[in-house]
């Protein structure tokens, strides 16, 4: 059975809806998203939190769609083009502003769905979150055990619910290991290739209304980054895990290839308040 693993990463995509930070006009949203200092921070998190684990996947057989607008300012658009040229799994999709955000996401994803796959494992990869280096492998191999449940409705979610939360403030980065129920990071949505849907089409915090789901919390599988530039500053429903605080940096390195000291220095240099900010 062929399970295609297909991710969507939206890098400051300019469009309508799909956002919790709202703006009255498209021009206001463009000014917010394309602010040079904000884009520099977004790229830093993308380069130092998101990419390392993806580049180190133990199963390199996946596709990551990088979705942005055709007018993304330089040098960020050229950097995405360069990444798509050197990362075998990356596909750059430039989508003009569309009022319906889900339609825009489907326009980006649709060309990369393998029609002859038996199942597509969709995942949403925010540009400041991370998945562990064995995420693709486990999401593919674990499906074999879940297949009978998937065949009931030809929809299924798998929630790797244990992860690390990075809280970024002007004072640096704190780390906490938590179980978060159906966080967007580490959540796989298995659909048939002709479903005309993806992970973003289902609100992750209430995905149980749309399909059966399996929860696996045996090991840290995601990093959720909470910083000033998040669209949402909410952690999500869950609870802390008993662990060794001194070992959190080791987990970040071993499972995500993330260097905490680098992030901590950058957070202090950015000098911004945390994600829980007024809107």
């Amino acid at each position: 059975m062929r399970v295609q693993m297909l991710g969507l990463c939206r890098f400051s995509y300019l469009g309508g809806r799909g956002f919790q930070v709202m703006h009255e006009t498209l021009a206001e949203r463009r000014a917010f998203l394309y602010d040079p200092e904000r884009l520099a921070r977004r790229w830093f998190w993308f380069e130092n939190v998101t990419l390392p684990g993806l580049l180190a996947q133990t199963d390199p057989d996946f596709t990551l769609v990088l979705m942005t607008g055709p007018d993304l300012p330089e040098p960020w658009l050229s950097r995405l083009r360069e990444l798509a040229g050197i990362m075998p799994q990356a596909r750059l999709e430039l989508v003009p502003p569309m009022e319906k955000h889900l339609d825009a996401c489907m326009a980006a994803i649709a060309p990369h769905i393998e029609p002859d796959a038996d199942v597509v494992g969709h995942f949403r990869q925010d540009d400041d979150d991370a998945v562990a280096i064995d995420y693709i492998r486990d999401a593919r191999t674990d499906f074999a055990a879940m297949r009978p449940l998937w065949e009931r409705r030809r929809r299924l979610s798998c929630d790797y619910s244990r992860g690390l939360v990075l809280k970024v403030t002007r004072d640096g980065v704190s780390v906490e290991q938590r179980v978060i129920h159906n966080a967007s990071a580490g959540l796989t949505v298995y659909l048939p290739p002709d479903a005309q849907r993806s992970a973003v089409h289902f609100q992750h915090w209430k995905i149980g209304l749309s399909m059966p789901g399996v929860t696996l919390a045996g090991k840290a599988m995601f990093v959720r980054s909470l910083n000033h530039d998040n669209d949402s500053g909410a952690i999500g429903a869950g609870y802390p895990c008993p662990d060794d605080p001194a070992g959190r940096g080791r987990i970040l390195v071993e499972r995500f290839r993330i260097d905490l000291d680098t992030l901590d220095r950058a957070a202090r240099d950015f000098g911004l308040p945390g994600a829980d900010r007024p809107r």
Side-chain angles (χ1 to χ4, degrees):
M1 168 172 273
R2 169 65 178 162
V3 178
Q4 180 194 10
M5 292 299 298
L6 178 61
L8 175 66
C9 180
R10 298 164 294 179
F11 189 86
S12 294
Y13 171 70
L14 175 65
R17 306 183 188 179
F19 299 91
Q20 294 188 42
V21 177
M22 300 302 295
H23 300 94
E24 293 295 327
T25 66
L26 192 65
E28 289 180 3
R29 178 161 293 164
R30 177 181 283 108
F32 170 77
L33 290 177
Y34 291 173
D35 174 75
E37 292 185 358
R38 177 189 177 277
L39 283 174
R41 292 191 298 270
R42 297 309 296 184
W43 186 267
F44 176 85
W45 302 124
F46 181 54
E47 190 173 40
N48 289 276
V49 175
T50 305
L51 281 180
L54 290 171
L55 292 171
Q57 286 296 307
T58 57
D59 180 353
D61 181 13
F62 67 96
T63 299
L64 181 70
V65 178
L66 303 171
M67 174 185 174
T68 193
D71 63 343
L72 182 73
E74 297 291 353
W76 318 113
L77 183 55
S78 291
R79 290 189 180 184
L80 287 175
R81 289 188 192 278
E82 182 182 7
L83 177 62
I86 62 177
M87 181 179 176
Q89 300 88 354
R91 307 289 186 270
L92 180 61
E93 287 290 341
L94 305 181
V95 181
M98 297 174 64
E99 178 58 28
K100 294 184 178 179
H101 187 73
L102 295 180
D103 289 349
C105 292
M106 203 64 222
I109 293 170
H112 306 285
I113 295 175
E114 298 177 7
D116 57 347
D118 296 291
V119 181
V120 181
H122 292 272
F123 62 98
R124 168 180 150 181
Q125 180 63 69
D126 287 356
D127 62 6
D128 56 1
D129 292 343
V131 290
I133 61 174
D134 50 4
Y135 164 70
I136 296 296
R137 184 201 69 186
D138 284 13
R140 178 172 280 122
T141 58
D142 286 342
F143 179 78
M146 298 182 286
R147 181 177 174 181
L149 187 58
W150 180 81
E151 289 178 342
R152 291 186 181 183
R153 292 188 58 191
R154 292 173 63 80
R155 286 182 177 184
L156 178 70
S157 69
C158 179
D159 176 23
Y160 293 110
S161 59
R162 181 190 291 255
L164 297 170
V165 176
L166 305 181
K167 295 181 180 179
V168 181
T169 70
R170 58 172 61 93
D171 298 319
V173 179
S174 63
V175 185
E176 180 183 14
Q177 189 168 180
R178 291 185 66 87
V179 165
I180 302 177
H181 301 299
N182 293 313
S184 57
L187 178 66
T188 312
V189 177
Y190 299 97
L191 299 170
D194 59 354
Q196 292 297 306
R197 294 288 186 273
S198 73
V200 297
H201 286 80
F202 304 95
Q203 294 175 316
H204 58 89
W205 62 91
K206 57 180 181 180
I207 198 167
L209 296 176
S210 301
M211 65 190 73
V214 174
T215 298
L216 298 173
K219 55 187 176 182
M221 193 65 90
F222 69 86
V223 167
R224 174 88 168 94
S225 176
L226 301 181
N227 58 74
H228 175 79
D229 297 307
N230 288 138
D231 185 53
S232 169
I235 296 178
Y239 45 86
C241 299
D243 70 333
D244 175 16
R248 294 169 187 167
R250 175 182 53 80
I251 295 173
L252 286 171
V253 171
E254 292 180 356
R255 294 197 50 72
F256 302 95
R257 303 296 190 261
I258 292 173
D259 181 65
L260 183 58
D261 289 341
T262 297
L263 303 188
D264 192 72
R265 287 193 299 270
R268 296 171 188 273
D269 289 343
F270 292 150
L272 296 173
D276 187 17
R277 61 203 183 282
R279 296 187 173 90

